[in-house]
Amino acid sequence: MRIKLPSTISIDQAIEFLSNIDFIEYAEKNVIFHACASANDPLRAAQYALNKIQINQAWDITKGSTNIIVAVIDSGLNINHEEFIADNYYRIWKNTDEIPDNQVDDDGNGYTDDYLGWNFVQNNNNIYDDTSDSSKHGTINAGIIGARTNNDKGISAVDWNAKIMILKGLNQNRDIVLSSVVSAIDYATENGAKISNNSYATKDEPSSTQGAIARAMSAGRLFIASAGNTSQYSQRDNDIQQLYPASHDIDNVISVAYTNESDTLDNDSHYGWYTVDLAAPGRDIVSTGSGTNGYHWLSGTSQAAPHVAGVAALLLAKNPGLNWWKLKTMIMKSVDPKSSLSGKMQSGGRLNAYAALTMAIPNLPNAPSNLNAQ
């Protein structure tokens, strides 16, 4: 049956009229559904973590922006990998004030030829990930945030467009070199990275990293850190045994635990009601690795933290004016609550990219007056 109504009435009036006819079960707009954004990368189906954080729905809102810089302070990058070498290293941040390989510090920042970042371990511009094992720690973490996506190769990254600033602060054994990390944090702060990913830890409390993170906060930067794994440290509760930099009591720090495919806190993950903020997927994460087209699986808070960094980059792409306080608040308040996380960390939940991107900004609380929330 077809019912013809006058063209002068509105859609809402037509719905109201039709709803009052006895033999019509319901009347509503004939809306158009749109498929959620997806990616054609062959390993996307193996990336359960992206499903957990509702990344396809998030990509419908934004796929990121090339104006956002995320510093990855780690063991460097396999720059020959197919996900990074393409299109003149499209995904890697470039220091455009520096002329490559002319042996001159063109921009006068103290680093000669730092065109694609810097190696603070060996004090040169060789950012290659020479991690002694095949998994390539820094390369995996950079890939989670920003591997080339929707290119029919390998994996999908959280963010399709953000520029990844590669800063090598860990040596080939993935050991922390304190002075290198401090210099890397300052470099990221001074060169426009509004977000940094820091997947490393130590039981010692270094005042120098605390100072560098505080300087980053004063410059409006968000500092994301892995909470630690029991495979390295036997005490899981960071409230009892702090791990740094994640446990630094500085407000721009987000400390990240990790969940598994069952969406529960993994037995290897550290936690802490006071010292850990939220969890993100970190068990059996596939990402970029060794060789020109190698992909590897790795587990830990080191892999959870980059998921948070990628979501922070998406948030900045949607709202470039967000300060570190609002970024952190949106990420923390949009988590999916999980019973295994309740009482184990501040938010009691697991990262959700889509929920963070759809949070109403006017309803966010303002930063406390005693905080520098640039």
Side-chain angles (χ1 to χ4, degrees):
M1 175 185 294
R2 301 184 67 181
I3 299 175
K4 187 174 182 179
L5 299 175
S7 61
T8 54
I9 69 172
S10 68
I11 292 176
D12 289 337
Q13 289 171 328
I15 290 173
E16 182 179 3
F17 171 76
L18 293 170
S19 298
N20 291 322
I21 298 176
D22 291 340
F23 60 82
I24 293 180
E25 186 175 353
Y26 52 83
E28 60 186 357
K29 293 179 183 179
N30 190 19
V31 298
I32 298 173
F33 288 86
H34 299 280
C36 291
S38 189
N40 60 17
D41 308 292
L43 286 172
R44 172 66 184 88
Q47 294 179 272
Y48 79 91
L50 298 185
N51 299 335
K52 293 289 186 183
I53 66 172
Q54 292 191 279
I55 199 64
N56 284 11
Q57 294 89 331
W59 288 339
D60 276 339
I61 299 171
T62 180
K63 296 180 178 68
S65 167
T66 57
N67 294 322
I68 307 303
I69 303 168
V70 181
V72 177
I73 301 173
D74 212 298
S75 59
L77 180 76
N78 174 12
I79 60 174
N80 298 319
H81 198 282
E82 63 182 1
E83 299 274 31
F84 295 105
I85 199 171
D87 300 329
N88 189 29
Y89 304 114
Y90 172 78
R91 297 310 312 276
I92 303 176
W93 169 83
K94 300 178 182 67
N95 180 2
T96 55
D97 293 328
E98 194 77 12
I99 299 172
D101 303 320
N102 68 347
Q103 306 302 312
V104 176
D105 180 12
D106 298 288
D107 59 1
N109 68 351
Y111 301 99
T112 300
D113 291 333
D114 57 326
Y115 179 65
L116 291 178
W118 192 254
N119 180 336
F120 292 91
V121 178
Q122 299 170 334
N123 197 34
N124 59 38
N125 67 349
N126 180 10
I127 61 169
Y128 185 73
D129 186 351
D130 58 357
T131 308
S132 54
D133 59 45
S134 61
S135 65
K136 301 297 180 188
H137 192 263
T139 302
I140 279 182
N141 295 333
I144 293 168
I145 300 169
R148 194 69 187 262
T149 299
N150 205 39
N151 62 344
D152 275 319
K153 295 178 181 178
I155 64 163
S156 302
V158 175
D159 188 298
W160 293 30
N161 292 300
K163 298 299 183 183
I164 310 300
M165 179 186 287
I166 303 300
L167 304 177
K168 187 176 173 67
L170 279 66
N171 64 23
Q172 63 181 1
N173 297 318
R174 295 192 289 184
D175 293 328
I176 302 166
V177 181
L178 179 59
S179 59
S180 300
V181 167
V182 171
S183 296
I185 296 170
D186 282 334
Y187 185 101
T189 299
E190 294 162 4
N191 287 276
K194 292 189 175 181
I195 303 158
S196 67
N197 186 82
N198 303 270
S199 293
Y200 50 88
T202 178
K203 289 191 293 185
D204 300 313
E205 183 177 6
S207 298
S208 52
T209 56
Q210 184 168 357
I213 297 167
R215 290 190 290 275
M217 185 177 76
S218 295
R221 314 308 196 220
L222 186 65
F223 188 93
I224 297 165
S226 55
N229 314 311
T230 55
S231 57
Q232 298 164 303
Y233 303 98
S234 58
Q235 173 55 256
R236 291 182 69 196
D237 190 341
N238 283 6
D239 290 355
I240 297 174
Q241 173 63 67
Q242 284 77 38
L243 286 183
Y244 300 94
S247 295
H248 279 307
D249 191 14
I250 306 175
D251 293 286
N252 65 326
V253 174
I254 296 182
S255 175
V256 186
Y258 83 93
T259 51
N260 52 36
E261 195 164 359
S262 299
D263 234 2
T264 59
L265 183 69
D266 195 271
N267 290 333
D268 189 45
S269 178
H270 285 211
Y271 57 85
W273 185 89
Y274 179 76
T275 51
V276 177
D277 294 304
L278 81 163
R283 169 62 64 182
D284 297 328
I285 303 300
V286 61
S287 185
T288 46
S290 58
T292 58
N293 59 356
Y295 296 87
H296 297 274
W297 275 258
L298 204 59
S299 300
T301 56
S302 283
Q303 286 63 63
H307 285 92
V308 179
V311 170
L314 291 176
L315 284 168
L316 270 181
K318 182 188 177 190
N319 299 289
L322 292 175
N323 56 39
W324 67 261
W325 172 264
K326 288 192 173 181
L327 271 178
K328 181 174 180 177
T329 301
M330 292 174 79
I331 290 170
M332 294 275 287
K333 286 188 173 294
S334 60
V335 297
D336 288 335
K338 299 295 175 183
S339 58
S340 71
L341 307 179
S342 178
K344 295 291 182 70
M345 57 201 65
Q346 285 287 309
S347 70
R350 189 254 304 130
L351 178 73
N352 186 311
Y354 176 65
L357 283 165
T358 53
M359 177 168 284
I361 295 175
N363 295 331
L364 290 178
N366 292 321
S369 58
N370 62 329
L371 293 184
N372 183 345
Q374 296 181 19

